[in-house]
Amino acid sequence: MKQLTEECLSMIRVRPKESHKGTFGRVVLVGGNHQYGGAIIMAAEACVRSGAGLVTVVTDPVNHTALHARLPEVMVVDWHNEELIQTVLSTADVCLIGPGLGLEQEQLELLLFVLAQQEKQWLVIDGSAITLLAEHGLSLREPQQVVFTPHQKEWQRLSGLAIENQSELNNQKIQRSLKAAIVLKSHQTEIYSQQEPVQNPLGNPGMATGGTGDTLAGIISGFLAQFPKQMSTIHAAVYLHSYIGDQLAKDRYVVLPTEISAALPYWMWKFQK
């Protein structure tokens, strides 16, 4: 399988002098129930620090105070407020749904609502949203504008492939039927799309901690909001996430997801062309 290289980061461009927050895209993140609020907070932090211009988080009200305290840069919407959710989705370039979402009926209805709203937006589907979609056989309106970010167990639920059967050939076959891009997270993440599959050679055991996947989903969303909506942008997000993790792992035993997010602006500045 073809390997990603540092060359994929060449799409990170110097920001134009005449620009404003709308220039760099609008992202809506949906997730974070009463138990897993940290997941959506980490995804939002990664999205903001990767450069998205306007970020709105749709979450359980129990998380609002923590979000405002941690990330005053983001706007917050009560996930029971369907009218306001529809309003923010209508102007979004990208919607990420799933980090800390949960698997209850209320979250299923929220996922159904978000899927029904998709028109021009790209959807990044992560975490429990993947499980809900797989368990209930939900369909996608615009699969070519969808990115799934499963770990191997979630991919098993979505694809029907047991982990031991998740070969390049089998994974590609399922991707062709789904028509959505697949970022299959593992110690060496693989990316499947209508193009040739690619593998990310980077990453380290220090990154094996809760929130790393939420952070990756946030970076992918932030990149899609501000850079061209194409596979090379997803490749760059995946590669940079692990590249930063590897830099941090040079002098620490564990790499926290929030540390990766904190380093994003520096490394994007280093790689900009």
Side-chain angles (χ1 to χ4, degrees), residues 4-5 8-9 11-12 147-149 181-192 198-203 207 212-213 215-221 223-224 231-246 260 264:
L4 292 177
T5 68
C8 73
L9 300 179
M11 46 71 62
I12 301 176
V147 184
F148 286 108
T149 56
I182 311 297
V183 176
L184 179 55
K185 298 176 292 190
S186 66
H187 70 290
Q188 289 193 323
T189 293
E190 297 173 355
I191 305 173
Y192 296 89
V198 296
Q199 184 179 61
N200 178 24
L202 306 185
M207 296 169 66
T212 299
T215 296
L216 174 59
I219 298 172
I220 292 172
S221 301
F223 271 42
L224 285 172
M231 287 309 301
S232 60
T233 297
I234 297 169
H235 293 171
V238 171
Y239 188 90
L240 184 62
H241 174 255
S242 292
Y243 179 93
I244 294 173
D246 285 354
I260 294 176
L264 277 165

Side-chain angles (χ1 to χ4, degrees), residues 23 54 59 64 75 88-89 139 142 167 171 181 197-198 218 233 247:
T23 305
L54 286 164
T59 189
H64 289 196
M75 295 166 283
V88 296
L89 284 175
S139 58
E142 301 289 344
S167 65
N171 291 340
V198 296
T233 297
Q247 300 307 306

Side-chain angles (χ1 to χ4, degrees), residues 155-182:
W155 180 234
Q156 178 175 300
R157 296 174 192 135
L158 184 62
S159 68
L161 295 170
I163 292 175
E164 61 270 20
N165 295 326
Q166 292 175 12
S167 65
E168 178 181 345
L169 183 63
N170 288 341
N171 291 340
Q172 189 70 66
K173 182 179 180 180
I174 298 297
Q175 186 281 323
R176 297 293 189 204
S177 66
L178 290 172
K179 298 184 174 61
I182 311 297

Side-chain angles (χ1 to χ4, degrees), residues 62-107:
V62 74
N63 300 315
H64 289 196
T65 299
L67 265 164
H68 282 307
R70 175 86 187 189
L71 286 171
E73 297 87 354
V74 307
M75 295 166 283
V76 183
V77 172
D78 182 343
W79 69 4
H80 302 106
N81 190 335
E82 190 172 288
E83 182 178 352
L84 188 52
I85 295 170
Q86 186 172 23
T87 298
V88 296
L89 284 175
S90 68
T91 60
D93 299 292
V94 180
C95 175
L96 163 61
I97 183 165
L101 181 67
L103 299 172
E104 303 302 320
Q105 180 65 28
E106 182 180 25
Q107 285 75 59

